[in-house]
Amino acid sequence: MNPRSSQCPDAGREPPGVVRSSSPLSSPLWCVLPLLLWVGCSGSGNRPAPTPTPGEDSQDAGCVEPPPQQTPDAGERSDVLTPSRLLRRASLALRGTPPTDAEYAEQESAGDDTAQRAFVDTFVDETLQQPVFYRTMFEQARDWFNIPLIPRTADEPEYGVQQQRSIQRCPDGTAKAGAWKYFRGDNNACSGQKPDGTTPADEVSIEPWWAPGTTVTLVGYAANLSATGTGSVNGNPVTITCATSGPEGTCGCGPHAVRCHADFQTYAGFEDFVPYNGEGQRRLASEEPARLFAHLAWHDRPMTDLILGAYSVAPTRLQAAYVMQGIEGGATSLLDDDSWWRPSRFSSAPVDPEHTAGDPAAWREYSVPARNPFLLAERDYRFDPRTTTGAAKGIPAAGMLTSLGFLNAYPRERVRGARALETLACEVLAPPSGQTFNEYKRDPGTEGPCQHCHRRLDPAAIHFKRYAKQGSATEGWGAKYLMPGVGTVWHWPARWRTGEYPYGGDPFAHWNRWYAADTLLTPVTEAQAQTNPEALFIDFLPPEHTLLGQVSDGTVGPLGFAKLILAAGAFDKCVVRHLHAQVLGRDIDPAKEAGYLDEQTARFIAGGRKVRPFVKALTQSDLFRRGR
């Protein structure tokens, strides 16, 4: 404490004639002034406290002990925590809980002050190598990203991302007890009969993807291995090709029942839908970005892989959703690929520290393009629909930005762009005040008061256009996730631009309303849109526009966005601010502490953008060791 504070009545007694008040403003001036100066030198006030002239008996003498000029903690208080308080701070920062009594006792028995401080350094090194550090990083990222659960597509539990038809076992007492059948639409299968009452129903024994090494029996339509089947359009029967239509109508589950989801619950769908099921696919999808962050921290990978990488992490049940999206796009070769569900094929993949290698439930590393080839491995893929006709190959995989949890949680491109800017570039999109804007007519990016945000937002949102949901689900199957203009499947006759049936609903209605030519979100001419309607799906930033002051290299999709925020320096600074808040307990103010932020960011980059060494460096800083 400042020796002068002994003059204040705050020590527990008042000077004669002074009555204590609940308001600090009623305290004598000599008591309030040191408090104000302390706030200034702590970095909590609006401006730093002035440096006293040497030899001057100023009021803040003894409050601030200026550190050496080269320290990155210039301007902060120089009070040093006691060893036990330092241990507590390290434990809270790295594992979210205070030290145990045994740890306090072990520290105290280490010896003198120097030895007890060395104990803290050893504690930090050991904790950084323990699974609890992975868990801390995961929970920090989950709070930071704050990605909601993917919305339901109709009534609960209609959740469609898995795009697999639910099957359930026939009950005891039936002719086919224990066999698996479609949950709906094949009521006589468990009796061994076809729906019209004739016998026998189809039956096949397979090794299923959800239980490798075992054999199960499919019965009824689920077991149909025919190349074609019968479906329904507007109530009329039509012939469908099973290889491209999925488990629709009378088509079966396919090899290893890849097109189906085994549901062990009473009512199909809830197992994957409910948020409290830690192994339900809906929750797994929402957690994937945070799990990827923790994976990178744990395995000492550069944090840029969070937004630039062509790989991610997921257990088998979540990888199934990526496989199904690829199959729905026409990549039917995935039906025979067992690399994502057979443990012997992924036994060497890096996993989280809470599971063993080869565990289907482990958050293991996987190549995203290997699961969905329309999320490309190419790092510089360019496609300009204004000058190139035909289909795009896809969009490059971009870590969490192309994760199903992120894309489906935010169903519109502008929401995706806004959340990506706020979360990964620490941008603040606040409404304007006291400004006059031109009249709004058709483009929120250049007209009306909304352009205050949209001038920054739309150059980000343009990268998130080639993904949209259509329709609703039934037990997890039925909804479609479109990647317009990509591959061989996601194309429509030009009349979709008119909104005529069957193109009157979403996402076509949204595209027709908001993908307007000659706007900031869709920088194509009306003539180009008339010639090629798919030009409206342009998903890279043309060179005449910038994002955070950066010009795009033409890379399409979310990867193009990721490159821009990285080139602007915004991503690195944002990561540093969040790690600093986790370890030091407070954010870095980019306006008031620009120099400090730059120095910490330079340290982070110099360390290979790896979390563990940067976190350790923060625990060794003077700022971490200061306090009361």
Side-chain angles (χ1 to χ4, degrees):
M1 287 287 292
N2 181 352
R4 294 180 180 271
S5 64
S6 63
Q7 304 172 12
C8 297
D10 198 41
R13 57 187 180 88
E14 290 76 19
V18 174
V19 178
R20 181 177 294 276
S21 168
S22 61
S23 170
L25 296 178
S26 64
S27 300
L29 180 61
W30 61 83
C31 301
V32 177
L33 186 56
L35 174 62
L36 297 177
L37 292 171
W38 178 86
V39 170
C41 68
S42 68
S44 302
N46 292 329
R47 59 180 183 274
T51 303
T53 303
E56 180 183 355
D57 185 19
S58 63
Q59 181 62 43
D60 66 335
C63 174
V64 177
E65 184 177 311
Q69 289 297 318
Q70 297 303 316
T71 177
D73 303 323
E76 296 293 342
R77 301 173 66 199
S78 60
D79 305 280
V80 178
L81 288 172
T82 62
S84 62
R85 293 292 303 279
L86 185 61
L87 177 62
R88 175 182 172 84
R89 176 171 287 182
S91 181
L92 290 172
L94 300 184
R95 62 189 191 188
T97 59
T100 63
D101 290 344
E103 288 168 336
Y104 277 130
E106 186 179 357
Q107 182 191 37
E108 187 174 356
S109 66
D112 59 12
D113 184 89
T114 301
Q116 290 186 26
R117 293 185 184 280
F119 178 89
V120 177
D121 292 335
T122 301
F123 171 85
V124 168
D125 289 337
E126 292 177 349
T127 305
L128 287 174
Q129 301 298 327
Q130 295 172 352
V132 68
F133 176 65
Y134 169 90
R135 172 60 59 170
T136 298
M137 291 295 97
F138 162 63
E139 291 179 351
Q140 182 206 9
R142 183 168 54 179
D143 292 341
W144 168 12
F145 301 158
N146 196 27
I147 295 176
L149 290 168
I150 297 171
R152 64 189 187 189
T153 60
D155 298 329
E156 296 181 6
E158 310 302 3
Y159 158 81
V161 175
Q162 62 199 44
Q163 299 187 79
Q164 293 170 307
R165 192 165 176 179
S166 291
I167 54 176
Q168 287 190 318
R169 285 178 293 190
C170 293
D172 294 338
T174 60
K176 300 299 179 180
W180 293 85
K181 64 171 287 289
Y182 284 150
F183 179 70
R184 294 185 189 275
D186 200 2
N187 296 331
N188 292 333
C190 289
S191 301
Q193 299 177 335
K194 295 180 179 180
D196 60 4
T198 60
T199 57
D202 291 330
E203 186 173 329
V204 64
S205 295
I206 62 166
E207 178 188 18
W209 69 269
W210 66 86
T214 68
T215 300
V216 301
T217 299
L218 302 179
V219 65
Y221 290 152
N224 183 11
L225 301 181
S226 300
T228 60
T230 302
S232 176
V233 174
N234 298 327
N236 299 314
V238 295
T239 300
I240 55 178
T241 302
C242 294
T244 56
S245 298
E248 184 177 346
T250 64
C251 290
C253 292
H256 301 287
V258 168
R259 289 186 179 273
C260 291
H261 172 260
D263 202 301
F264 294 85
Q265 305 303 307
T266 301
Y267 186 83
F270 274 105
E271 180 177 291
D272 273 323
F273 179 84
V274 292
Y276 51 80
N277 180 11
E279 295 184 357
Q281 195 191 79
R282 187 171 180 236
R283 175 165 162 181
L284 295 176
S286 71
E287 288 187 355
E288 182 180 355
R291 291 284 183 177
L292 177 58
F293 179 91
H295 182 87
L296 299 176
W298 179 253
H299 289 282
D300 289 326
R301 305 288 181 81
M303 194 47 63
T304 46
D305 286 358
L306 181 69
I307 58 173
L308 297 182
Y311 67 91
S312 188
V313 292
T316 295
R317 179 173 286 193
L318 180 54
Q319 290 190 36
Y322 287 87
V323 172
M324 283 307 303
Q325 178 67 8
I327 292 173
E328 289 294 314
T332 54
S333 61
L334 293 172
L335 288 168
D336 298 311
D337 178 19
D338 65 355
S339 64
W340 59 277
W341 60 266
R342 192 179 298 281
S344 61
R345 298 291 303 277
F346 55 77
S347 59
S348 61
V351 299
D352 67 273
E354 298 172 341
H355 294 84
T356 58
D359 185 346
W363 285 91
R364 65 180 183 270
E365 195 172 304
Y366 72 99
S367 167
V368 175
R371 302 293 171 260
N372 177 4
F374 302 107
L375 296 175
L376 308 176
E378 296 180 47
R379 301 292 83 194
D380 299 295
Y381 180 64
R382 297 173 176 84
F383 182 83
D384 189 343
R386 300 172 300 182
T387 58
T388 304
T389 57
K393 292 195 299 184
I395 57 176
M400 67 169 281
L401 293 173
T402 49
S403 68
L404 294 181
F406 181 83
L407 292 175
N408 287 284
Y410 306 115
R412 301 294 192 216
E413 65 292 321
R414 282 185 167 115
V415 181
R416 294 172 191 146
R419 291 296 295 127
L421 280 174
E422 292 169 335
T423 303
L424 299 170
C426 287
E427 281 286 284
V428 178
L429 300 174
S433 60
Q435 299 184 41
T436 302
F437 296 93
N438 58 333
E439 181 184 0
Y440 174 76
K441 296 181 179 179
R442 59 188 295 271
D443 182 12
T446 59
E447 302 164 349
C450 293
Q451 67 182 287
H452 178 82
C453 290
H454 279 268
R455 280 189 179 276
R456 290 183 292 162
L457 172 57
D458 286 8
I462 193 174
H463 298 89
F464 295 94
K465 295 169 73 172
R466 290 190 188 265
Y467 190 87
K469 184 183 77 70
Q470 179 189 30
S472 59
T474 301
E475 295 101 39
W477 169 79
K480 303 291 185 181
Y481 296 91
L482 313 179
M483 299 179 68
V486 170
T488 60
V489 173
W490 294 303
H491 306 272
W492 305 275
R495 73 174 186 276
W496 73 263
R497 290 285 287 134
T498 67
E500 297 177 2
Y501 179 83
Y503 305 110
D506 277 346
F508 301 100
H510 174 77
W511 294 340
N512 281 327
R513 179 176 182 182
W514 292 112
Y515 294 4
D518 293 314
T519 60
L520 189 57
L521 182 65
T522 308
V524 302
T525 66
E526 186 60 40
Q528 290 169 332
Q530 291 292 336
T531 302
N532 175 23
E534 290 184 358
L536 298 174
F537 301 122
I538 182 172
D539 60 340
F540 70 94
L541 195 61
E544 62 268 22
H545 300 297
T546 62
L547 176 64
L548 301 180
Q550 303 301 308
V551 177
S552 172
D553 68 353
T555 301
V556 303
L559 183 61
F561 166 83
K563 288 182 176 182
L564 289 169
I565 64 172
L566 182 64
F571 175 74
D572 289 320
K573 290 182 179 180
C574 194
V575 173
V576 164
R577 288 174 61 184
H578 281 278
L579 291 176
H580 189 277
Q582 171 66 31
V583 178
L584 276 300
R586 71 170 183 88
D587 191 4
I588 302 175
D589 190 319
K592 302 174 185 176
E593 301 175 288
Y596 178 60
L597 178 57
D598 288 342
E599 291 178 15
Q600 293 298 334
T601 303
R603 177 187 295 177
F604 177 64
I605 295 173
R609 294 185 169 96
K610 298 176 181 179
V611 168
R612 187 182 275 119
F614 182 69
V615 167
K616 180 178 179 179
L618 289 176
T619 65
Q620 295 175 327
S621 66
D622 292 338
L623 183 58
F624 186 81
R625 298 169 186 266
R626 289 175 178 151
R628 293 286 181 180

